Amino acid sequence: MSLLKVAVQKSGRLSEDSLKLFNECGIKFNNGAKKLKAQSHNFPIEFLFLRDDDIPGYVEDGIADIGIVGQNVHEEYGKDIEVVKYLGFSKCRLSLAIPREDSYTDVTYFEGKNLATSYPVILKKFLDEKGVKADVHEISGSVEIAPGIGLAEGICDIVSSGSTLLSNGLKEVETVMKSEAVMVASKSLSTDKKNILNQLIFRINAVLEGKNKKYVLLNAPNDSIDKIIDLLPGMRSPTVLPLAEKGWSSIHSVISEDDFWENIEKLREAGAEGVLVVPIEKMIK
Ligand code: ATP
Ligand code: ZN
């Protein structure tokens, strides 16, 4: 029986959410001692804990079969591997930033400038597309201090809230790419391993599907059922059950959280009472 070898970040911004995802998929393993490897005892998977930068290369070489990395790392290393699933966590963007006091009009600002980044491939591609010629210098950490110490006039770095930029006297002026965590896979998996990967993706889909949906239960007088059903686009159609109290029913449906908030006032106007909103752990379409 094959084992699917899964590379996840050992410690960093992807680690916790990656392991949480496997947990939510019901895949149990013991990672007590922060080892290099761990094997699941209820799913044919073995985890390898690595630096995120090493993951694309290891997947290409077949040392790992699949891995979880940020799209930024996947693009930067440009390995011959496939993105098999967008995972929706570790969302961030790669942006260009300049000293706060400089005025900025458009991307031609960067013409002839020195730029520091840990993502030279992505940045050069972006500048090429815009027809801007700049000097790109690769530095591996603390990119945001480069302008302050005279190493560069601008930077391209990961931003999520922008507070790091602000505290280094910089402002964000262009988004170079948006990123989230992705599952990448080798292009030459055996049939056995492909089957395991498909089972895994089936579970991940069920988890992700459930995440942004809610199970809604409410009570309503029978003469408002039609109106309420129109406001509740369910998976197929809402469930309507009679209540012990005559003339009343309980209506159950699955809707997205956004739709719920958008429609709650209308539901109440239509006569809905005792509304319960319950999280969904897994959902299989
Ligand atoms: P390693 O030691 O494994 O090389 P690292 O320091 O390169 O780790 P992290 O800072 O842990 O990397 O970030 C890992 C990934 O998480 C990034 O490549 C990016 O996709 C995403 N990420 C980085 N910063 C943020 C952030 N502030 N918010 C959300 N996601 C982020
Ligand atoms: Zn890294």
Side-chain angles (χ1 to χ4, degrees):
M1 180 71 186
S2 315
L3 279 182
L4 191 71
K5 289 175 290 176
V6 184
V8 294
Q9 191 187 23
K10 186 172 170 65
S11 71
R13 289 200 156 98
L14 293 161
S15 313
E16 203 180 308
D17 285 342
S18 302
L19 295 182
K20 198 172 107 209
L21 179 67
F22 288 101
N23 235 313
E24 289 169 334
C25 287
I27 296 169
K28 304 240 159 50
F29 61 96
N30 214 331
N31 184 29
K34 275 271 163 205
K35 294 167 295 197
L36 172 65
K37 283 188 191 183
Q39 192 176 324
S40 168
H41 49 80
N42 66 354
F43 196 81
I45 262 188
E46 179 178 57
F47 293 96
L48 306 177
F49 301 104
L50 301 166
R51 280 198 61 204
D52 68 343
D53 310 73
D54 295 335
I55 292 175
Y58 282 172
V59 171
E60 184 180 57
D61 296 344
I63 292 163
D65 299 309
I66 65 169
I68 295 179
V69 287
Q71 277 170 286
N72 50 315
V73 166
H74 172 58
E75 292 249 332
E76 182 63 25
Y77 288 94
K79 298 292 182 186
D80 190 23
I81 54 180
E82 278 181 286
V83 172
V84 290
K85 189 75 208 160
Y86 289 82
L87 299 172
F89 58 82
S90 295
K91 286 195 173 162
C92 59
R93 56 193 184 274
L94 263 184
S95 290
L96 279 159
I98 63 171
R100 208 166 39 203
E101 60 281 5
D102 281 16
S103 54
Y104 184 79
T105 46
D106 60 30
V107 75
T108 57
Y109 169 95
F110 293 104
E111 187 70 36
K113 295 267 198 308
N114 282 311
L115 304 177
T117 186
S118 308
Y119 298 93
V121 173
I122 295 172
L123 178 57
K124 281 181 193 159
K125 190 168 158 239
F126 174 83
L127 294 170
D128 274 356
E129 279 167 9
K130 302 279 176 191
V132 172
K133 288 199 175 57
D135 280 323
V136 174
H137 302 273
E138 180 175 1
I139 57 176
S140 57
S142 307
V143 174
E144 66 285 349
I145 65 164
I149 60 172
L151 204 66
E153 296 157 290
I155 64 160
C156 172
D157 203 8
I158 289 174
V159 181
S160 61
S161 70
S163 59
T164 310
L165 291 182
L166 214 62
S167 63
N168 284 283
L170 300 171
K171 64 180 175 190
E172 187 179 356
V173 292
E174 293 281 343
T175 304
V176 173
M177 87 172 276
K178 289 200 171 131
S179 177
E180 64 184 85
V182 289
M183 181 167 280
V184 290
S186 154
K187 287 185 172 174
S188 51
L189 293 180
S190 67
T191 311
D192 265 6
K193 289 188 175 186
K194 268 188 199 149
N195 286 336
I196 303 169
L197 177 58
N198 287 339
Q199 286 174 45
L200 175 64
I201 290 178
F202 179 85
R203 292 190 187 195
I204 292 175
N205 286 340
V207 170
L208 297 183
E209 215 40 75
K211 271 207 172 126
N212 91 67
K213 300 278 191 208
K214 301 285 172 200
Y215 192 80
V216 176
L217 306 87
L218 55 86
N219 297 332
N222 288 345
D223 55 13
S224 31
I225 292 176
D226 288 345
K227 223 194 269 172
I228 288 176
I229 287 178
D230 283 344
L231 295 168
L232 288 175
M235 285 210 282
R236 198 150 284 167
S237 78
T239 308
V240 180
L241 301 166
L243 288 184
E245 189 179 336
K246 245 188 152 215
W248 280 74
S249 295
S250 168
I251 304 175
H252 302 196
S253 189
V254 172
I255 68 173
S256 80
E257 181 149 19
D258 290 348
D259 285 346
F260 172 75
W261 289 117
E262 227 162 78
N263 287 319
I264 181 63
E265 289 310 322
K266 288 185 203 146
L267 287 168
R268 294 183 58 196
E269 277 164 27
E273 287 181 11
V275 181
L276 292 181
V277 180
V278 185
I280 295 173
E281 198 177 281
K282 271 131 202 142
M283 190 167 133
I284 292 148
K285 272 193 175 165

